[in-house]
Amino acid sequence: MRIQPVVAAACRQRGAPNEITIENKTYATDSWTNTPPSILAAIPRRLHLQPNHPLSITRQLIESRFPTYETHNNLFPVVSVAQNFDSLGFPLDHVGRSKTDTYYINSSTVLRTHTSAHQADTFRADTSPGYLISADVYRRDAIDRSHYPVFHQMEGARTWDRNNLAQFSSLEDAIWADVHAIPKHSTDVIQVSDPNPTYDADRNPLQPGHSAAEIEAVAAHLKRSLEDMVVTIFTSARSATSASPDQQQEPLKVRWVEAYFPFTSPSWELEVFWQNDWLEVLGCGVVQHSILSSAGVPSKLGWAFGLGLERIAMLLYGIPDIRLFWSTDPRFLSQFNENEQIRRFTPFSKYPACIKDVSFWLPKETKEVDVKDPRSDSDVTPAGGLTSPSTPASSVSATTTSNAFHENDVMEIAREVCGDLIEDVRLVDEFTHPKTGKRSLCYRANYRSLERTLTNEETNELHERFTGLLVERLGVELR
Ligand code: PHE
């Protein structure tokens, strides 16, 4: 969907502080700074480490399938642009780098947008052949029941060293020996569809320096390891959802789909057939050799994957709204216990929604900028990340989008004003005046608390502040 831009959308706000302190570290702010205090407030929460929290239980369940992998669960969320993007081969004009998508602390520092930001450093530290990283990640994004500006990912990787083959005579022999050690599941338990060749010169190429035999072995290790992990998760999810868990179940159906990430090749996504739909569960691939060689381990080769913990926890427990993970309400938290079998979440009463529309004119300005369709997930990866090929979504480069209208700025203002009292914001109408050529948009905001009934006064006030800030910050004209 293409929408006209507006001047002055994402400029630094008046009265913004000259520095930001995050857990004893101080950063100078500049014209790139766009991280609001409400986002900074989420940093100390570390939900993936909170005992008996569903995200922590989900993390531990996955970790249990990788017993020999080293875990890194306390990595600091503020990283350099080099760590988050450059080290992974993101092109300079990749839309993920733009201020509309990423929280910048300053021009060279961001809140990590994915756990892959730590790949290069972890490969450089070289303390174990396999590792798992779980962490909070931050993205400016839509507001709805499955998107929240802070969420959690798990990254995993496994490498082998050409210079250290033990008793094996080739790298592929060494890898195949490890493949054979992965638990096997019969076709009564899991049915895997993998119709594509392991690599394809055009669509999913082998990297120079990798032999076909090596990559067949790496891909087999990657796929068998991740299939074993999804069997564990989905078996637990099914026994939590099914009325009579002991009855004979259909085998779990999964499929491998070709994918693209700047930092792996070949690359895949794993999809699972869940409640009558194919659900993307993770992204993965063979690590780009440039990352390993820049990290000082040029003799290594291996795979990496990334997944979104909220998405998995939501289906494991049947949690209907992503905001619930942030709830401190005992009616939520008391339902999870890491020492017990996973049981389906019982929603506590659903409080009434209050729906309000806001329509506004965009100033009649110049260049076109792309805006996400809030209902389309096409640019969201299974890990919730930002790794689609460079820029199909944007007609202007990342560094020039700062004065253009972007829907994420509407979302950000709604979050700033409403916090967790807003469930959903979506574009419901757009219109171009036939004579003046002016463009009008209508967004529908759904106000609802997960914990209580909002009063009319309260929602009116939230909506007024929301629309007031749209005018003030984005320069729109209310209709
Ligand atoms: N970082 C990717 C994302 O956020 C996921 C990924 C990790 C893909 C590692 C491949 C390898 O979507």
Side-chain angles (χ1 to χ4, degrees):
M1 183 177 313
R2 303 210 154 245
I3 294 181
Q4 303 289 332
V6 167
V7 174
C11 307
R12 194 152 71 121
Q13 285 153 36
R14 267 177 277 127
N18 294 328
E19 47 185 45
I20 292 181
T21 300
I22 304 172
E23 301 189 353
N24 302 326
K25 295 198 177 83
T26 299
Y27 305 86
T29 58
D30 60 23
S31 64
W32 280 77
T33 306
N34 66 349
T35 308
S38 55
I39 293 296
L40 297 174
I43 293 176
R45 295 288 298 275
R46 293 182 169 77
L47 298 181
H48 63 295
L49 298 178
Q50 191 181 305
N52 297 314
H53 192 277
L55 291 173
S56 173
I57 301 175
T58 305
R59 166 183 64 78
Q60 293 174 65
L61 183 63
I62 302 173
E63 287 173 351
S64 73
R65 301 315 298 172
F66 297 92
T68 64
Y69 289 50
E70 199 167 83
T71 54
H72 304 275
N73 293 336
N74 240 323
L75 296 172
F76 196 56
V78 180
V79 300
S80 64
V81 168
Q83 287 170 303
N84 200 80
F85 296 118
D86 305 345
S87 72
L88 294 160
F90 278 79
L92 284 173
D93 63 352
H94 193 284
V95 65
R97 293 184 184 249
S98 89
K99 275 162 98 174
T100 57
D101 284 39
T102 294
Y103 289 110
Y104 279 83
I105 302 297
N106 57 40
S107 61
S108 59
T109 316
V110 297
L111 292 177
R112 69 183 152 226
T113 62
H114 56 171
T115 42
S116 303
H118 301 290
Q119 264 192 26
D121 295 335
T122 315
F123 288 132
R124 187 173 301 109
D126 193 18
T127 52
S128 111
Y131 66 76
L132 299 172
I133 296 170
S134 296
D136 39 333
V137 301
Y138 298 77
R139 296 205 58 201
R140 300 177 97 235
D141 210 336
I143 297 182
D144 61 40
R145 281 186 296 167
S146 57
H147 290 89
Y148 199 80
V150 190
F151 61 102
H152 297 77
Q153 286 188 331
M154 185 188 283
E155 184 99 358
R158 174 74 166 89
T159 53
W160 291 265
D161 191 340
R162 291 178 192 286
N163 294 343
N164 190 358
L165 298 178
Q167 75 270 34
F168 299 101
S169 54
S170 70
L171 185 62
E172 57 268 28
D173 286 355
I175 300 172
W176 279 112
D178 289 328
V179 174
H180 295 132
I182 299 168
K184 289 183 185 60
H185 302 280
S186 79
T187 49
D188 299 342
V189 175
I190 179 169
Q191 274 174 14
V192 181
S193 148
D194 190 4
N196 295 302
T198 301
Y199 53 88
D200 178 278
D202 299 320
R203 298 189 314 265
N204 215 5
L206 209 58
Q207 296 173 42
H210 288 170
S211 78
E214 288 164 353
I215 294 318
E216 289 294 351
V218 173
H221 193 276
L222 164 64
K223 289 176 178 176
R224 297 303 86 77
S225 302
L226 297 174
E227 288 161 9
D228 172 64
M229 187 261 289
V230 299
V231 164
T232 304
I233 291 174
F234 285 82
T235 307
S236 307
R238 278 170 159 191
S239 51
T241 46
S242 142
S244 45
D246 297 333
Q247 93 197 20
Q248 184 59 43
Q249 298 260 16
E250 291 273 293
L252 181 68
K253 286 204 202 73
V254 307
R255 68 182 184 198
W256 288 101
V257 178
E258 290 176 340
Y260 173 82
F261 302 100
F263 39 90
T264 51
S265 190
S267 307
W268 303 276
E269 285 169 5
L270 178 57
E271 299 185 348
V272 175
F273 198 67
W274 177 251
Q275 293 177 344
N276 288 319
D277 255 324
W278 286 103
L279 182 84
E280 293 171 0
V281 169
L282 57 83
C284 62
V286 177
V287 178
Q288 282 288 357
H289 188 251
S290 55
I291 299 173
L292 294 161
S293 56
S294 314
V297 288
S299 60
K300 297 209 173 182
L301 142 171
W303 56 253
F305 75 87
L307 56 78
L309 285 172
E310 273 83 352
R311 173 178 273 197
I312 298 203
M314 285 173 92
L315 66 91
L316 253 181
Y317 289 99
I319 294 172
D321 189 309
I322 196 167
R323 289 175 294 168
L324 281 162
F325 291 108
W326 298 88
S327 173
T328 53
D329 191 320
R331 288 173 297 175
F332 177 72
L333 291 175
S334 67
Q335 296 197 32
F336 309 95
N337 185 324
E338 53 198 26
N339 301 313
E340 286 170 13
Q341 246 215 310
I342 287 172
R343 270 178 294 116
R344 204 176 163 73
F345 170 69
T346 319
F348 35 97
S349 42
K350 188 152 186 178
Y351 298 93
C354 178
I355 297 198
K356 291 183 189 293
D357 288 353
V358 52
S359 299
F360 51 79
W361 294 108
L362 296 174
K364 200 181 160 193
E365 244 102 57
T366 49
K367 58 186 188 257
E368 295 236 318
V369 173
D370 197 271
V371 168
K372 256 183 266 185
D373 175 344
R375 297 298 100 181
S376 131
D377 254 359
S378 57
D379 63 341
V380 174
T381 70
L386 49 111
T387 38
S388 50
S390 170
T391 60
S394 183
S395 55
V396 283
S397 81
T399 46
T400 61
T401 52
S402 58
N403 64 349
F405 177 88
H406 194 293
E407 184 164 280
N408 281 350
D409 294 328
V410 174
M411 302 295 167
E412 187 72 17
I413 291 170
R415 284 282 181 213
E416 180 180 329
V417 171
C418 309
D420 287 357
L421 300 180
I422 192 145
E423 179 166 299
D424 198 290
V425 178
R426 64 171 112 171
L427 186 65
V428 287
D429 195 24
E430 55 175 323
F431 156 81
T432 306
H433 193 283
K435 293 222 177 82
T436 63
K438 271 172 98 178
R439 305 261 300 147
S440 158
L441 303 180
C442 177
Y443 281 91
R444 178 157 297 165
N446 176 357
Y447 299 89
R448 189 205 308 265
S449 163
L450 293 166
E451 291 163 3
R452 62 193 173 83
T453 300
L454 297 176
T455 65
N456 270 335
E457 257 177 0
E458 218 173 351
T459 38
N460 286 339
E461 199 193 306
L462 289 173
H463 195 66
E464 251 168 55
R465 278 172 46 214
F466 172 40
T467 53
L469 279 184
L470 289 178
V471 173
E472 189 181 316
R473 298 236 183 106
L474 308 186
V476 304
E477 184 193 330
L478 297 183
R479 293 186 59 188

